[in-house]
């Protein structure tokens, strides 16, 4: 099932997500992870956090290697956390499914080590660099209620917020809410 991806400035994007207990992995959570992957491929994107679909749980999905012809390499992580970070680099042209019409360079750690649990209850440790590392940092930020626009210059952010509010006002004029 395709889920609705919340868009800035939806306040639910600012919630800090809760840890998932080991015994909380049930069919409902598995279905959520599967729906999140389907939504991510549909958008299309390479990562999605549960926060972005309005579920404040520490769950992310990623796939950096998928292709239009059906190749899939999904990663589903519960309670992911960055346990090591090293180096500084620029994540060029970063974007977010929840922040429409904006791409910006973001300074991030070049390499990270991430620890998490899988849906099968196994512990997992992953070392990543470059795009994969930026993606981990971006998705884990979502679980803490942070967006990539929090990590760009105030001037760029203010410009974007103004542009976005104007766009939302125009949309509201074009599609007025029913008055009854
Ligand atoms: Zn995002």
């Amino acid at each position: 099932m395709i889920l609705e991806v919340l868009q800035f400035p939806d306040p639910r994007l600012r919630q800090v997500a809760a840890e998932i207990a080991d015994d909380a992995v049930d069919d409902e959570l598995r279905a959520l992870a599967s729906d999140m992957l389907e939504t991510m491929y549909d958008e299309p994107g390479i990562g999605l956090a549960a926060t972005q679909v309005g579920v404040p749980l520490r769950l992310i999905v990623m796939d950096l290697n998928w292709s239009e012809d059906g190749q899939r390499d999904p990663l589903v992580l519960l309670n992911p956390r960055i346990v090591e970070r090293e180096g500084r680099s620029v994540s060029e042209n970063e974007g977010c499914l929840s922040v429409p019409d904006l791409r910006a360079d973001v300074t991030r750690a070049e390499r990270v080590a991430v620890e998490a649990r899988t849906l099968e209850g196994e512990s997992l440790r992953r070392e990543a660099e470059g795009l994969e590392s930026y993606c981990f940092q971006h998705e884990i930020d979502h679980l803490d209620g942070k967006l990539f626009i929090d990590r760009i210059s105030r001037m760029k952010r203010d410009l974007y917020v103004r542009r976005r509010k104007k766009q939302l006002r125009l949309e509201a004029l074009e599609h007025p809410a029913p008055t009854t």
Side-chain angles (χ1 to χ4, degrees):
M1 188 174 71
I2 306 280
L3 306 169
E4 187 202 349
V5 178
L6 303 180
Q7 307 277 288
F8 178 82
D10 193 305
R12 286 170 291 177
L13 291 168
R14 295 306 190 178
Q15 292 185 90
V16 176
E19 292 272 326
I20 301 168
D22 286 349
D23 61 3
V25 179
D26 54 11
D27 287 347
E28 201 182 334
L29 196 79
R30 277 186 281 269
L32 172 65
S34 158
D35 289 344
M36 282 170 58
L37 280 167
E38 196 182 336
T39 304
M40 179 187 78
Y41 294 126
D42 179 70
E43 282 280 340
I46 56 171
L48 191 67
T51 310
Q52 292 177 274
V53 294
V55 180
L57 290 176
R58 302 192 83 82
L59 169 67
I60 63 172
V61 299
M62 279 170 49
D63 189 345
L64 272 69
N65 302 312
W66 72 275
S67 67
E68 292 291 348
D69 58 22
Q71 187 193 327
R72 297 285 185 266
D73 186 15
L75 188 64
V76 176
L77 297 182
L78 282 58
N79 305 330
R81 51 195 188 95
I82 295 171
V83 292
E84 281 170 43
R85 48 179 86 227
E86 201 180 79
R88 269 165 92 79
S89 191
V90 175
S91 162
E92 288 176 6
N93 260 322
E94 200 169 305
C96 177
L97 299 176
S98 294
V99 182
D101 308 317
L102 183 71
R103 293 247 163 207
D105 293 351
V106 183
T107 303
R108 294 199 178 275
E110 168 63 15
R111 285 174 294 279
V112 293
V114 172
E115 287 181 2
R117 291 186 76 74
T118 66
L119 276 176
E120 292 73 38
E122 285 156 5
S123 309
L124 176 145
R125 180 187 163 94
R126 192 110 160 190
E127 278 160 31
E129 59 178 17
L131 181 62
E132 189 183 20
S133 161
Y134 309 148
C135 196
F136 276 126
Q137 294 170 69
H138 180 116
E139 301 311 330
I140 293 170
D141 268 356
H142 273 303
L143 302 181
D144 293 323
K146 288 202 185 83
L147 296 169
F148 84 106
I149 50 173
D150 304 338
R151 300 189 181 278
I152 63 177
S153 75
R154 160 165 255 169
M155 193 182 78
K156 276 192 195 152
R157 183 169 56 248
D158 288 351
L159 273 173
Y160 174 72
V161 170
R162 249 180 281 154
R163 181 156 64 85
R164 176 79 181 133
K165 283 186 177 159
K166 188 174 168 190
Q167 183 191 10
L168 288 171
R169 275 199 304 275
L170 286 172
E171 278 175 19
L173 283 174
E174 279 166 23
H175 308 283
T179 46
T180 51

